Every structure is written in structure tokens, then in C-alpha cells.
């Protein structure tokens, strides 16, 4: 089951509202570097690459080559075309790549969209060289206390609890021969003010799987909470302006 249809409208909204600006990703650059140990020219498969935000970041940060595999034509069309990114049609359980050639796999906010994680793990095992890391950036069931969206829209936890947990994910990958290597929450700083979030929530509602799961009333209540906080005019703390997803590494 795919939770969201990434058509032209969703793809455009995703690019506008969900891509984290590069200057908010410093902690991610550092965390991934520690686990990837990048070497110039190594190859990374970005599975469910979306609009290519991380494919381009990885090329710029680490001078690696990225194979950006993405099932949605609308999302693929927005991936920047450059010589260090190969854009490919495919999905988690069907990667258009030969056996055992790839130095790392990256899946960012994708595992909850993959209908058969065991099949995807097996396919990832096929294309990765032995010892290469699988780097998963995601929200996991039961681990979302640092996720900003849940603070303003608490009913998003209902859908989050249906996402694969860390245990489910490790089990699926264990069946393909991977073992967990690290798990750490990594913050992203993607807002300058709460007013910016308030401006963005309507677009987010079309681009974000969690926001789409809210009823109109739940969305309106959360938006009102945000509006009141903006009107109250307090200086937002770090907890309001940053949000963390987990980085799960398996090898
Ligand atoms: C929330 S977006 C994340 C995009 C990108 N990874 C990022 O973090 O910017 C989820 C992406 O997963 C893709 N997707 C959906 N089902 C998939 C599957 N079975 N295998 C791989 N990708 C899938 C969607 O088309 C969409 O582009």
C-alpha cells in the first residue's frame, strides 16, 4: 500500500514545502558522514529519492555519485539533472541496478511507503557490496516526541503509530542479512519563525502524508493553536524551530 499518491500537484507542493533548506541540514551532513565514511566517487543509491533534495546534497557534501531511484514520474521530473546523479525509475523492491555494486543505500522518509519491507531489504542486499551501510532517515512508530508536527497536530500520532517501528524495520532487514549498527535522533533546523510554519501549513497539508491524515477539524484546531502562538508573539525556543527524525543504520 502506498500511503500518498505523488502526482504533479503533490510533487510541486513537496518541493515547495517539504524540502529542508540546505542550511538547516548541518546535523544531517555530519551524522551521515560519520556512518557513510564517504570517499570521492563512491556510489550511493537513494531509494525513493523524491525531488532529489538529498541526492543533490550528498553529491555536494561528499562528492559521491548518486543513483536516484524513484517510482513517481512527477517526483522524478523535479530531480535536478547533473552528471553525478543518475535518475532511474524503480522502487524499493525493484531496483534497476546490477548485483553488488553499490557503496551505500539511503532511504529518507520512505520506509512507511514501502508495501513489502522484507522484499525491499532483500533487493537492497542484492545491490549493496558486503559491509555497506543502509542509512534510513524516518519517523518510526512510537518514537516521535521530537517531531515538531506532533506538537501542533497531535492527531498525526495516529498515523505515525502505523509506520514500521525500529523493531519491525530491523526484523525486515535481518531477514535479508543486515544487522542494526546505530540509531540516533538527528535534528533539522528548517524554520526561522513559527509564523513561517503557519504560512506553510496549507501547502504542507497537500504534501505531507501525516498532515493529509488529519480530519478538517483536527487540522483547523492545530492551525488555530499555531496562530495563537504566533499572535502571542513570544520568542520561539529551539524546540519549536527544530524537529528531529531518526537515523537508523544497518549493515
Ligand atoms: C516523503 S517522500 C521522500 C522523498 C525524498 N526521499 C526526501 O526525503 O526528500 C517519499 C517518496 O517515496 C517514494 N515511494 C513511494 N513508494 C515507494 C517504494 N515502494 N519504493 C521507493 N520509493 C517509494 C514516493 O514516490 C516519494 O517520492
Amino acid at each position: 500500500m502506498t500511503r500518498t499518491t505523488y502526482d504533479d500537484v503533490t510533487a510541486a507542493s513537496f518541493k515547495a514545502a517539504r524540502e529542508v533548506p540546505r542550511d538547516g541540514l548541518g546535523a544531517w551532513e555530519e551524522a551521515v558522514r560519520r556512518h557513510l565514511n564517504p570517499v570521492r566517487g563512491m556510489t550511493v543509491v537513494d531509494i525513493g529519492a523524491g525531488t532529489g533534495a538529498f541526492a543533490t546534497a550528498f553529491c555536494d557534501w561528499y562528492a559521491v555519485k548518486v543513483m536516484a531511484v524513484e517510482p513517481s514520474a512527477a517526483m522524478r521530473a523535479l530531480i535536478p539533472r547533473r552528471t553525478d546523479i543518475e535518475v532511474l525509475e524503480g522502487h524499493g523492491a525493484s531496483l534497476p541496478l546490477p548485483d553488488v555494486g553499490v557503496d551505500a543505500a539511503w532511504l529518507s522518509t520512505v520506509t512507511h511507503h514501502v508495501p513489502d519491507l522484507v522484499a525491499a531489504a532483500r533487493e537492497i542486499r542484492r545491490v549493496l557490496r558486503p559491509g555497506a551501510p543502509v542509512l534510513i532517515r524516518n519517523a518510526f512508530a512510537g518514537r516521535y516526541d521530537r517531531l515538531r508536527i506532533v506538537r501542533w497536530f497531535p492527531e498525526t500520532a495516529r498515523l505515525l503509530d502505523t509506520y514500521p517501528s525500529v523493531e519491525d524495520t530491523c526484523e525486515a532487514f535481518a531477514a535479508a542479512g543486515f544487522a542494526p549498527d546505530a540509531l540516533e535522533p538527528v535534528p533539522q533546523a528548517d524554520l526561522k519563525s513559527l509564523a513561517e510554519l503557519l504560512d506553510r501549513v496549507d501547502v504542507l497539508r497537500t504534501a505531507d502524508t501525516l498532515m493529509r491524515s488529519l480530519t478538517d477539524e483536527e487540522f483547523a484546531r492545530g492551525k488555530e493553536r499555531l496562530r495563537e502562538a504566533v499572535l502571542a508573539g513570544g520568542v520561539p525556543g529551539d524546540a519549536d524551530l527544530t524537529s528531529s527524525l531518526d537515523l537508523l543504520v544497518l549493515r
Side-chain angles (χ1 to χ4, degrees):
M1 167 210 43
T2 297
R3 294 172 191 266
T4 302
T5 304
Y6 286 93
D7 56 14
D8 287 340
V9 173
T10 310
S13 304
F14 187 94
K15 185 136 194 93
R18 295 259 335 261
E19 281 194 3
V20 180
R22 194 69 70 80
D23 63 1
L25 285 174
W28 277 98
E29 176 181 4
E30 189 276 324
V32 170
R33 184 184 297 280
R34 258 188 292 115
H35 297 287
L36 178 64
N37 296 316
V39 173
R40 172 176 289 276
M42 79 195 290
T43 52
V44 177
V45 59
D46 181 355
I47 300 168
T51 51
F54 281 99
T56 52
F58 275 35
C59 292
D60 295 341
W61 291 339
Y62 312 127
V64 297
K65 292 199 170 106
V66 175
M67 279 153 307
V69 176
E70 169 54 50
S72 150
M75 297 293 266
R76 273 200 316 277
L78 298 181
I79 299 176
R81 282 359 189 215
R82 43 190 277 180
T83 53
D84 42 9
I85 298 180
E86 192 179 353
V87 179
L88 300 163
E89 180 178 1
H91 60 89
S94 176
L95 300 172
L97 301 171
D99 294 356
V100 199
V102 182
D103 297 306
W106 170 250
L107 297 94
S108 165
T109 58
V110 168
T111 51
H112 53 286
H113 290 295
V114 174
D116 185 346
L117 212 45
V118 173
R122 206 179 307 123
E123 181 66 344
I124 292 169
R125 180 67 284 161
R126 180 183 70 75
V127 304
L128 283 196
R129 65 168 170 72
V134 181
L135 303 148
I136 299 179
R137 171 181 180 266
N138 227 84
F140 293 96
R143 281 177 63 91
Y144 40 74
D145 45 328
R146 294 186 180 86
L147 206 55
R148 183 182 51 227
I149 202 170
V150 182
R151 288 203 290 279
W152 298 104
F153 299 92
E155 297 87 355
T156 51
R158 195 175 46 220
L159 186 67
L160 275 165
D161 275 328
T162 70
Y163 282 21
S165 64
V166 169
E167 293 72 22
D168 297 335
T169 309
C170 289
E171 205 175 298
F173 278 82
F178 290 99
D181 187 42
L183 174 66
E184 54 184 282
V186 182
Q188 59 196 41
D190 52 351
L191 281 185
K192 303 274 182 277
S193 68
L194 279 185
E196 198 181 316
L197 180 59
L198 181 60
D199 278 350
R200 221 188 277 172
V201 282
D202 289 310
V203 185
L204 267 179
R205 197 158 188 227
T206 63
D208 187 291
T209 304
L210 293 170
M211 295 290 276
R212 286 161 80 126
S213 74
L214 298 172
T215 65
D216 290 345
E217 292 72 28
E218 290 163 350
F219 177 70
R221 271 203 303 274
K223 194 171 169 184
E224 193 47 37
R225 247 177 247 124
L226 251 180
R227 198 193 319 276
E228 281 167 14
V230 170
L231 285 176
V235 180
D238 274 1
D240 294 315
L241 299 183
T242 61
S243 191
S244 294
L245 290 174
D246 281 313
L247 174 61
L248 172 64
V249 183
L250 304 111
R251 290 180 196 273

